Amino acid sequence: MKTMMVAALRAALVTTTILGSAVALPTTATAQTTTAAIRGQVRDSAGAAVAGATVVAVNGGTNQSFRTVTAANGSYILNGLRPAQYTITVTGTNGDVSVQRIIVSIGQSATLDAVLAPAAAASAANTDATGATTGGSAPATGDGQEIVVTGGRLVETRTSEVATNVSQQQIRNLPQTDRNFLSFAALAPGVKYNDSETNKGFQSGASTASQVNVFIDGVSLKNKLREGGVAGQQNSRGNPFGQLAVQEFRVLTQNYKAEYEQAGAAIITAVTKSGTNEFHGEAFGQYTDKSLSEKSYLDKANNRPEPAFKRKQYGVSLGGPIIKDKLFFFATYEGNDQDRAFNVDSTGSTAAVADFEANSGRRLSDFEGAFVSPFRGDFYFGKLTLTPDSNQVMDLSFSRRQETDIQNFGGNVSYENAENKINVVDTYLYKWTYTGSDFINEFNANYLSYTFNPTSLNPDLPTYDYDGVIIFGGKDSTRREVQQGYTLRDDVTYTGLQNHSFKAGARVEITDIEFDNQSFIQPRYTYRREPQNGLTFASPAEARLGLGSGKILASNTQIGLYVQDDWDVTSKLQLNVGVRWDYETNGFNNEYRTPANAAAALRALPTTSYFDPENYITDGSNRSPFAGAIAPRFGFSYDLKDDQTTVIFGGIGRYYDRNNFNNTVDELSRTINPIGVFRFSPNGAPREGLPTVQWNPAYLTRDGLLQLAATSTQGLPELFAVKNDARPPVNDQASIGIRQKVGIFQAALTASYIRGRNGYTNIFATRTLNGLGGCCNTAPLQPFGYANAIVGLDGLDTRYKAIYFTLDKNYTKSSGWGLNVAYTFSKGEQNGGDLFSLDAITPDAYGWRPRAGDERHRVVISGMVDLPLGFQFSMLNTLGSGQAFQVTDATNGADSGFNRFTARYPRKNCIKGVFAYCEVNLTLAKRFSVLGKEDQFEAAVDLLNAFNNKNFEGFDASFNNTIDPATGQATDPLEPARIGTSTLTLPRRIQFRVGYRF
């Protein structure tokens, strides 16, 4: 019956989402994460509150109107406003009026007060004004300019959220390398964008990228399969959504409200463009290649030819009316073609390379050189918007992102070992919003399909890993992973009680997962040089071989409920109070049944303070879904002078995320697809507590390893087990700050603290000395057919302390310039490792250390200024003190359980040693009309990394201080973090852009 009910709900979701059928629901539509609200006070010319005044907001693009009536104290609230330009007309009961034009941005709650005047005077004064700030009143300046409530990226004043809005103007005008709208998330303090040539994404605080989330028109792009946070972004240089389709977005760093789900770190919520009553279109192209680039420092230093490099991006969009004031369309396409060569350039020492060449029969030069990594991406988006009357808006949209990307080579990895990463992400969305006199109901039905299919270029070749020198042969796995999500969501906002805005919502998602991981079909051989263990490159230290093949199918139903209240206690004080509850039916492979031999093996291991065998054994009923994900959230803002010039704000709250499927899938996948582990030595003696077998060249084939597995205890698979009462990751956040208007600038100073708990990791259950010693006593497992036991633990913790400072003067056409500064002073720490914490008894035993990517100081400066003759200059500059990287002390051995982890920071080498990371990006653009005032042609040139800063990464991250008897020197000393093997940014280059809009 349960299966039938789930199938029926899934079918209904598909029908509702794709066909957009008129389901008989009492109320409706778009997710609240994509709309905004305006609230304020209406007074007469004497300053008295005006009750019963009519407030009407008219969307300038669609002519749809929203209306309300002021309360007894003159207050009003308009909810459910889509980001757009509006004309706000307030009419008193005596006929006095106020007319203002404003721009409302996504997700904001803006304050717009009005002073009524006689109709004739108001008509005479009905000119656009400017000067309002989000959360502030909108005083007429009388200078004939436009009032902009959230024009561009203005900082809100009366809100407890720590958030940054990024406008269409910034997206269009600021310099950018490759049209990934996520790159502008760096404009928010505490948020870092990774602009790697092979892995683009963002993260915040001390959390991993997995804990972020991105919403597009309310559709969550959460990656339920793997790391990366966003579907399709793990190890991808593609863009999660076409920038030409994005109207604007909002970055929520901290203290976001209860309506947001499945994130413990930063959230991005974006709204797409829609058609209007006028036809609008755009076409663009941008291009750069190696002839427009400097030769990199590393290519010069190593006397290498300049590698191939070419990037071209292009796209078109068109939107307009199908039926005036009623039905609108918008469609866009973007292409992204890149050819980027990566250098295979070994970091092996002279002695290690000589050892490799002497024993492998291969020359290192056979593998080194520059090899092209082609990337091809296509994005399609289409949207219909229906406004049948002033109460309703309906949207039906579709998007597809598809890309191929040959990568995962370079440095010590040969091109022969590369893979083709195939990504396809489809979304379907149906939204319906109904606006009543004092309520709004928003309904959202969506479907997301994500396929991740990294495929080895040489699947028939074994992998040979000569540690620290070169990896060649075929990639050791080919995977096909599919995530399909079917979601229903409904949100209700009620403003019928004076000074309150109540919101409540429910969300149900069914996620179906297909996981086909073909690992080690051909064996992987690992060679090490460890004098203390008698290891050289003459024979492998270890081999791994897949011993089975099978597909995993899983399904998980997620339920989310929330309620919140924005309460204007007084005209100065607003409280934001909410609570959220999330529940998953299958968050930890709940229906898994432990095989009998696995249960016996676990029971043969010693019970410790961190491991109880019975807590890892289940008959399919021992893992109850976690019902305690209750997340209260509280915030406040206090306007000291009641004029939005000085506002104190703060908040505290709990934020639950979820585990990626990949975190716990090994328990099941290693049962269906066991991976045999073979440990070799020159003499067959145990090494580091684990048995070995004497190496024989016959083992250098799959058949040879299979024969060994059949005749010895070598080749046994590892046993993985999930903790029955594991909890989802959770972050507790707190912040307090002040916003201050200083002349034409809006400044904000915020203190932030975030404590993360329950991160999932894996540890050894086979330590010596009854679980309290080193690795590993595996003898109790061998009778049951296992080489080792690795068990899950929800014990990864993080902590983050920061101070954020922002200074904003947003661009306006009248002033002709804008400047935005975001500074972050922070310290991010973690215990344990990542998905595996095998080098200490528990994650806590690692102690606290700087997390990889921690950076004490980071400054982002952006701005634009109009120049004579229709030119505009813009910039986006990033300065950082240098990101921490993990360093492994392998002196006691490189096997898991013997390493020790620390962290290092790169040396500062820019601006006379003040910073370790500097990137200055500049743009000069010329815009002019071709056919009249309604169109615009743009030609722009970007100067990226203008000062050719090196921004190294890939520093030496491992050392072995064991003395090599042959040389009398340390086997592998740690090199200083001065010059890395690669760079975070490309060298200085020029990029040309052209575009036409009408």
Side-chain angles (χ1 to χ4, degrees):
M1 178 62 71
K2 178 181 176 182
T3 302
M4 293 177 62
M5 291 175 63
V6 171
L9 178 57
R10 189 181 291 112
L13 281 165
V14 173
T15 303
T16 303
T17 306
I18 298 179
L19 301 180
S21 58
V23 180
L25 294 171
T27 51
T28 54
T30 147
Q32 284 183 291
T33 52
T34 63
T35 59
I38 298 175
R39 62 177 66 204
Q41 290 278 332
V42 177
R43 296 181 174 88
D44 61 20
S45 57
V50 178
T54 301
V55 183
V56 179
V58 179
N59 186 312
T62 64
N63 281 336
Q64 187 183 28
S65 61
F66 301 80
R67 64 183 62 238
T68 189
V69 176
T70 58
N73 63 354
S75 65
Y76 75 92
I77 300 176
L78 282 171
N79 272 305
L81 300 180
R82 294 187 164 206
Q85 178 177 285
Y86 288 85
T87 299
I88 309 295
T89 303
V90 184
T91 307
T93 55
N94 62 354
D96 289 355
V97 298
S98 168
V99 180
Q100 302 180 76
R101 292 180 61 203
I102 63 170
I103 295 175
V104 177
S105 287
I106 181 173
Q108 294 190 324
S109 180
T111 299
L112 183 69
D113 297 332
V115 177
L116 300 184
S123 176
N126 184 18
T127 58
D128 295 340
T130 191
T133 60
T134 305
S137 60
T141 63
D143 61 1
Q145 297 164 17
E146 179 181 353
I147 296 178
V148 179
V149 173
T150 56
R153 196 176 60 86
L154 296 178
V155 179
E156 289 177 298
T157 55
R158 286 181 175 174
T159 179
S160 59
E161 292 182 331
V162 181
T164 301
N165 275 62
V166 180
S167 69
Q168 175 66 202
Q169 187 177 64
Q170 289 172 296
I171 294 172
R172 182 174 288 165
N173 295 339
L174 292 179
Q176 189 183 23
T177 59
D178 65 349
R179 294 185 60 83
N180 189 328
F181 81 93
L182 292 183
S183 65
F184 296 120
L187 298 174
V191 179
K192 188 177 300 178
Y193 174 68
N194 181 15
D195 197 19
S196 163
E197 283 296 296
T198 58
N199 183 17
K200 295 184 181 293
F202 74 102
Q203 65 184 83
S204 70
S207 301
T208 65
S210 298
Q211 292 198 16
V212 303
N213 203 349
V214 171
F215 296 86
I216 305 290
D217 287 340
V219 178
S220 170
L221 298 185
K222 186 76 171 183
N223 191 335
K224 310 292 178 63
L225 288 170
R226 289 187 174 269
E227 69 283 356
V230 182
Q233 284 308 112
Q234 74 277 10
N235 305 121
S236 171
R237 54 179 146 169
N239 302 332
F241 206 81
Q243 186 165 290
L244 198 57
V246 175
Q247 178 176 329
E248 58 184 84
F249 67 94
R250 177 175 172 88
V251 185
L252 293 135
T253 307
Q254 202 168 335
N255 291 345
Y256 39 88
K257 298 178 183 178
E259 61 194 288
Y260 297 97
E261 75 273 356
Q262 294 186 351
I267 279 177
I268 288 179
T269 176
V271 63
T272 60
K273 296 175 182 176
S274 301
T276 64
N277 276 323
E278 296 181 353
F279 284 98
H280 292 282
E282 183 172 354
F284 79 90
Q286 67 182 46
Y287 181 84
T288 185
D289 63 23
K290 79 171 187 177
S291 69
L292 301 171
S293 303
E294 290 270 1
K295 188 175 182 179
S296 77
Y297 171 88
L298 292 173
D299 288 334
K300 293 177 181 178
N302 294 293
N303 196 28
R304 298 185 301 224
E306 186 173 3
F309 171 62
K310 180 169 66 175
R311 177 188 291 136
K312 56 182 179 181
Q313 294 175 266
Y314 44 90
V316 294
S317 69
L318 180 66
I322 298 175
I323 302 175
K324 186 178 181 181
D325 293 342
K326 298 293 183 183
L327 182 61
F328 313 91
F329 78 94
F330 179 81
T332 185
Y333 164 79
E334 284 196 51
N336 185 350
D337 300 343
Q338 302 181 35
D339 289 323
R340 169 83 166 93
F342 293 98
N343 287 300
V344 177
D345 186 13
S346 175
T347 60
S349 65
T350 302
V353 171
D355 194 4
F356 161 73
E357 293 186 339
N359 288 288
S360 68
R362 304 292 298 268
R363 304 290 297 175
L364 186 61
S365 58
D366 294 343
F367 304 102
E368 290 188 314
F371 300 86
V372 174
S373 169
F375 173 90
R376 300 293 182 267
D378 297 284
F379 175 79
Y380 308 86
F381 176 73
K383 182 178 182 180
L384 292 175
T385 302
L386 175 65
T387 57
D389 52 47
S390 61
N391 299 105
Q392 301 182 78
V393 180
M394 301 179 190
D395 287 303
L396 185 65
S397 65
F398 164 78
S399 72
R400 162 162 285 198
R401 166 194 176 185
Q402 59 186 33
E403 60 193 33
T404 62
D405 188 2
I406 295 177
Q407 58 160 267
N408 275 5
F409 66 92
N412 288 352
V413 182
S414 70
Y415 182 79
E416 189 177 61
N417 197 247
E419 62 184 346
N420 184 10
K421 291 190 172 179
I422 302 170
N423 259 335
V424 180
V425 183
D426 291 339
T427 66
Y428 297 82
L429 172 65
Y430 174 61
K431 302 192 299 181
W432 183 16
T433 305
Y434 185 89
T435 304
S437 59
D438 54 12
F439 75 91
I440 296 174
N441 197 94
E442 304 173 287
F443 171 75
N444 178 321
N446 68 75
Y447 167 74
L448 180 143
S449 174
Y450 163 44
T451 300
F452 180 54
N453 186 201
T455 304
S456 172
L457 295 188
N458 296 287
D460 297 327
L461 296 180
T463 304
Y464 303 95
D465 179 359
Y466 287 81
D467 189 31
V469 177
I470 194 70
I471 299 173
F472 65 94
K475 178 71 175 177
D476 55 26
S477 68
T478 289
R479 309 192 300 274
R480 186 177 189 274
E481 303 169 4
V482 180
Q483 168 188 327
Q484 296 184 84
Y486 311 79
T487 304
L488 287 176
R489 173 172 175 163
D490 194 71
D491 301 86
V492 179
T493 303
Y494 176 71
T495 56
L497 182 62
Q498 184 173 315
N499 298 328
H500 289 268
S501 178
F502 296 102
K503 299 179 183 179
R507 175 182 178 274
V508 179
E509 177 183 349
I510 297 174
T511 302
D512 292 338
I513 287 177
E514 175 186 323
F515 198 86
D516 188 3
N517 191 345
Q518 303 293 323
S519 296
F520 304 104
I521 300 301
Q522 293 295 329
R524 178 186 182 103
Y525 298 94
T526 301
Y527 300 74
R528 296 185 186 134
R529 298 174 70 245
E530 295 180 5
Q532 72 274 29
N533 288 318
L535 295 178
T536 69
F537 283 167
S539 60
E542 182 179 285
R544 290 180 179 256
L545 179 69
L547 302 175
S549 178
K551 183 185 299 182
I552 295 173
L553 301 176
S555 185
N556 182 22
T557 300
Q558 302 144 68
I559 300 170
L561 305 172
Y562 78 90
V563 62
Q564 64 189 41
D565 178 25
D566 296 338
W567 177 22
D568 290 322
V569 181
T570 69
S571 61
K572 295 183 177 182
L573 176 65
Q574 183 185 93
L575 300 181
N576 313 111
V577 183
V579 63
R580 180 175 188 89
W581 178 70
D582 288 285
Y583 180 85
E584 295 187 53
T585 62
N586 192 23
F588 287 89
N589 198 16
N590 293 54
E591 297 180 357
Y592 175 76
R593 295 173 181 268
T594 307
N597 62 327
L602 290 169
R603 289 186 173 116
L605 298 173
T607 299
T608 66
S609 60
Y610 59 86
F611 171 66
D612 178 359
E614 298 304 322
N615 200 17
Y616 290 85
I617 298 170
T618 174
D619 62 4
S621 64
N622 298 85
R623 292 181 188 166
S624 300
F626 182 69
I630 300 172
R633 301 174 189 183
F634 171 80
F636 76 93
S637 62
Y638 184 74
D639 187 348
L640 288 177
K641 302 177 183 179
D642 199 14
D643 61 359
Q644 293 82 52
T645 58
T646 305
V647 176
I648 299 173
F649 64 95
I652 188 169
R654 173 158 285 191
Y655 300 82
Y656 278 95
D657 200 356
R658 65 180 310 280
N659 267 300
N660 296 326
F661 182 74
N662 182 62
N663 287 1
T664 56
V665 73
D666 277 326
E667 178 184 59
L668 179 58
S669 69
R670 294 298 181 97
T671 301
I672 299 174
N673 308 316
I675 297 171
V677 180
F678 304 81
R679 294 171 58 83
F680 303 111
S681 64
N683 55 14
R687 182 175 68 247
E688 295 172 342
L690 295 174
T692 71
V693 66
Q694 186 174 7
W695 171 251
N696 185 322
Y699 304 146
L700 207 56
T701 65
R702 176 180 175 85
D703 290 340
L705 290 177
L706 289 174
Q707 184 176 0
L708 176 61
T711 58
S712 74
T713 58
Q714 289 295 320
L716 296 178
E718 293 169 321
L719 168 60
F720 280 74
V722 172
K723 188 180 177 187
N724 289 339
D725 60 354
R727 299 156 296 174
V730 62
N731 280 357
D732 292 320
Q733 303 182 5
S735 68
I736 190 165
I738 184 170
R739 299 186 181 101
Q740 177 67 50
K741 190 164 186 178
V742 183
I744 60 175
F745 288 94
Q746 183 74 44
L749 183 67
T750 308
S752 166
Y753 179 77
I754 303 174
R755 183 68 160 82
R757 296 178 175 86
N758 303 349
Y760 195 85
T761 190
N762 290 282
I763 62 175
F764 282 128
T766 53
R767 290 186 171 273
T768 60
L769 301 177
N770 288 320
L772 301 179
C775 174
C776 283
N777 178 17
T778 62
L781 300 176
Q782 293 178 10
F784 304 102
Y786 293 102
N788 209 332
I790 298 173
V791 297
L793 185 70
D794 49 356
L796 285 183
D797 293 346
T798 61
R799 59 189 185 191
Y800 179 75
K801 294 171 281 189
I803 294 176
Y804 308 141
F805 174 75
T806 58
L807 185 68
D808 299 289
K809 189 279 176 188
N810 287 331
Y811 173 89
T812 61
K813 190 173 182 179
S814 59
S815 68
W817 69 280
L819 178 67
N820 305 97
V821 179
Y823 167 68
T824 303
F825 172 56
S826 64
K827 183 179 182 180
E829 298 174 294
Q830 69 176 83
N831 68 358
D834 41 35
L835 184 54
F836 291 90
S837 300
L838 304 177
D839 294 280
I841 296 175
T842 65
D844 285 340
Y846 281 71
W848 291 103
R849 71 181 187 282
R851 66 166 182 85
D854 173 59
E855 191 169 37
R856 291 290 185 266
H857 303 273
R858 193 169 186 87
V859 184
V860 179
I861 305 171
S862 65
M864 57 191 78
V865 59
D866 292 335
L867 303 174
L869 303 176
F871 286 92
Q872 185 183 71
F873 171 79
S874 59
M875 65 178 182
L876 202 169
N877 309 322
T878 304
L879 309 173
S881 59
Q883 300 181 37
F885 59 96
Q886 183 172 279
V887 173
T888 304
D889 181 352
T891 301
N892 294 323
D895 282 327
S896 295
F898 293 85
N899 294 318
R900 187 174 69 88
F901 292 110
T902 59
R904 300 286 193 278
Y905 293 87
R907 291 188 179 181
K908 299 178 176 62
N909 61 8
C910 83
I911 311 185
K912 296 184 177 181
V914 176
F915 294 102
Y917 179 95
C918 297
E919 184 178 22
V920 175
N921 296 328
L922 310 173
T923 295
L924 182 65
K926 166 69 174 176
R927 302 181 183 94
F928 54 90
S929 295
V930 177
L931 302 176
K933 293 183 178 180
E934 301 302 319
D935 74 334
Q936 186 180 80
F937 178 83
E938 176 183 271
V941 58
D942 302 319
L943 181 59
L944 305 173
N945 194 7
F947 295 100
N948 203 28
N949 296 110
K950 301 174 184 64
N951 300 325
F952 291 115
E953 65 172 349
F955 302 103
D956 191 5
S958 178
F959 65 93
N960 180 349
N961 286 336
T962 302
I963 300 301
D964 186 343
T967 64
Q969 303 295 320
T971 301
D972 182 15
L974 184 68
E975 299 294 332
R978 186 174 63 88
I979 299 176
T981 60
S982 59
T983 57
L984 289 164
T985 53
L986 293 176
R988 177 169 50 216
R989 62 205 180 280
I990 294 172
Q991 179 172 264
F992 294 109
R993 293 188 285 118
V994 293
Y996 178 73
R997 293 186 293 273
F998 66 90

